Structures are given as structure tokens and as C-alpha cells.
Amino acid sequence: MRALVSAFVLVATLSLVPRALAEDAPLEAEKSSQADESPAEERAAQFVGVTGPEAESVPGGTLLLAAYAIVWVLLFLYLVRMRRLQSQTAEELERLGAEIRAAEGR
Amino acid sequence: MLASPAMSRSSQSGSTTLWSLVLFATLALFAVTLYLIFVVAPVEKQMGIVQKIFYFHVPSAYAMYIGFGASAVGSAVYLIKRDPKWDALGVAGAEVGTLFCVIVLLTGPLWARKAWGVWWTWDPRLTTTLLAGMIFAAYLALRSMGNAGEVEKRFASGLALFGLIDLPLIHYSVQRWRGVHPTVITGKGGGLESEMYWALGLSFVAFTGLAALLIWTRASAERQREETARLRFELMHR
């Protein structure tokens, strides 16, 4: 009986191992095709741990500087715009005044 | 750099003096505010130095309210009285309010990138602020199409009043709807440290002075521009 069970296990092992190896073959093919992918495609498909410094930092100082620069630059540009509007109006008023004086002198 | 609103009229020297006083007070306040922000107020524990954007971002939003509020008041009175000086206030308020709205919408994402990890999210307060900016940008676009006639002025005034509806929505959106925007200075917030409180308080006063000066000057320039247009029209039809 023991010999019969041993023979059954041996036959089953011999018949299943080649099938299992055949099923592993596509995985190896996939691995080789992944090696052909571009770095961007590879990055999209898996996550890889870094080997260098691990800290990710958003530069707070740069963001702060940018925010305050934006405020001052926008205010300055608005003042320049207003100054230009005032100059144009003053020039227009002067021109109209000259035209009125010329019309009254006729 | 800018001429005061009443510089062309010697009889209004009192107005010019007041304008100059407000200007110097505002400049002095800004100097003290910057000292408080960068020297006295501590760096925030969680967010670090980027939290200091808050001291200009929040008062800019407040100045935006002043500008849009002034525009709505000027527009409402213009619709009742048809007096051009109120229309000038409407234009000035809309322009200054939009300027501060742009500042808010640009400085906010710079803080959000660090605090939230994203530049923008469709949070109720952010969305309603963007909506207000778009409404008053439409107002300015309408008014910038040459010399606006009576119909355009009245339509723009209605638009400013429509924009006014959005202002309380911006303010209360944080409390009414769930969002991610901070609530440190509302009833639900945990408050600020005393140095932070002083920096923010003075910044509010400085931005109020700045908004008042800009609206005052722009309204004066608009009145002069309107007067010039009227003179040109009269001269052409003589």
C-alpha cells in the first residue's frame, strides 16, 4: 500500500511540474518585455524605493518669496497703469482746452 | 508717482492733505507690518515659513471685499441717482477689488502647494472667490469697451450688484459647507499666537488704507476721464 501511494505521488509530481514550468514561461516573457519599456512606462507600472535621501521637500521659502513678490509686482503694475491713465486724461484735457480756446478765438 | 485726486483743484487742498496723510500712514503701517511678519511673528509649527503668506493673503481677501463692496454701493446709488460720481466709485471699486482678488487667487495656491500638496482644489471658498473674480472681470470687460454709454453703465451696475450676492457666500462658505480651507480666525478656529495676531491685525489696517487710497485715486481718475469725454462730445457737437 505504501509503495502504491509513493508511486502515485511520483507520477503526480512528474506530470504537474512540466505544466507549472510552462505556466511560468509567460511571466518570464513579460519580464523581458518590461525591460524593453521606456523609463516613463516603467515608472507608471511600478513603485520603486529610493536608495538616496528619502525626504521630499516643497521649498517653503521659495513659495513665500514668490507670494510676496506677486503682491508687490501686481500693486506696482496697477500704479503704473493708473499713472498712465491720469497722464492720458491730462493730455486730453489740455488738447481739448486748446481746441476750445481756438474755437472761441475765431 | 501718482497725482492726488484733487491735485488739479487748489480749492480742495484739504482733500489733498488728507490723501497724503493716508498715503504716509499706509506706507508706515506696511513697514511696521513687514517687521512684525518677518521678525516678531514666530514660524508656524506645522507648515513652517510658508504660513507667513497668510499675513498678506487674508488682508488681500479683506481688501477685495472692500473693493467689490464699494463697487456694489456705487452701482446701487448710481442706478437710483444717475450721478456719474457714483458710477466712478463703481468702476474704481470693481478694478481695485479685482486686483486684490487676483492677489488672493495667486498667493493662495502658493500656500496650498505646501499645505495641501496641490495648487488648487474645488473647495467652496476657493470656488466662490473665483466666481466673484469672474463676475467683476466681466464688469470691467463691459466697461472697457470704449466710452460706455448709459445702457452699458446700468447693465454693469446690475452685474456689480449680482457680484455682491457672492461676497457673503465666500465669507460663510467655510462655516456652512465642508471644505479644506483653514478656519483659524473664525469662531471654529483655534486662534493665533499674540505675535501672529498683531502682525495680522496691522496688516488688515495697512491693506484697508491701501484699498481706500487706490479706490479714491481711481475714482478721481475715472471722474476726470468722464469729464474729458463729456467735453469732447460737446466740442464735436458745437
Side-chain angles (χ1 to χ4, degrees), chain A residues 5 7 12 18 30 35-36 40 44 51 58 66 81 87 94 97 99-100 104:
Chain A
V5 171
E30 274 181 25
D36 296 334
T51 53
V58 177
R81 183 192 177 281
S87 300
E94 200 172 321
E99 281 184 29
I100 289 170
E104 285 173 351

Side-chain angles (χ1 to χ4, degrees), chain B residues 179-227:
Chain B
V180 290
H181 198 278
T183 56
V184 286
I185 53 172
T186 63
K188 290 182 179 178
L192 297 166
E193 287 193 20
S194 62
E195 295 92 346
M196 292 178 172
Y197 177 82
W198 277 104
L200 181 68
L202 266 188
S203 191
F204 268 121
V205 180
F207 270 85
T208 303
L210 180 64
L213 274 174
L214 290 176
I215 292 171
W216 187 350
T217 310
R218 182 65 185 88
S220 173
E222 183 62 21
R223 283 203 300 274
Q224 286 179 354
R225 202 190 61 76
E226 276 287 319
E227 182 66 14

Side-chain angles (χ1 to χ4, degrees), chain A residues 13 43 89 94:
Chain A
T13 307
R43 195 165 58 241
T89 308
E94 200 172 321

Side-chain angles (χ1 to χ4, degrees), chain A residues 58 68 78 83 92 99, chain B residues 52 95 114 228 232 235:
Chain A
V58 177
Y68 278 79
Y78 186 65
R83 174 67 186 159
E92 180 77 2
E99 281 184 29
Chain B
K52 288 181 186 286
E95 213 170 274
K114 179 80 176 178
T228 309
R232 194 189 311 124
L235 199 64

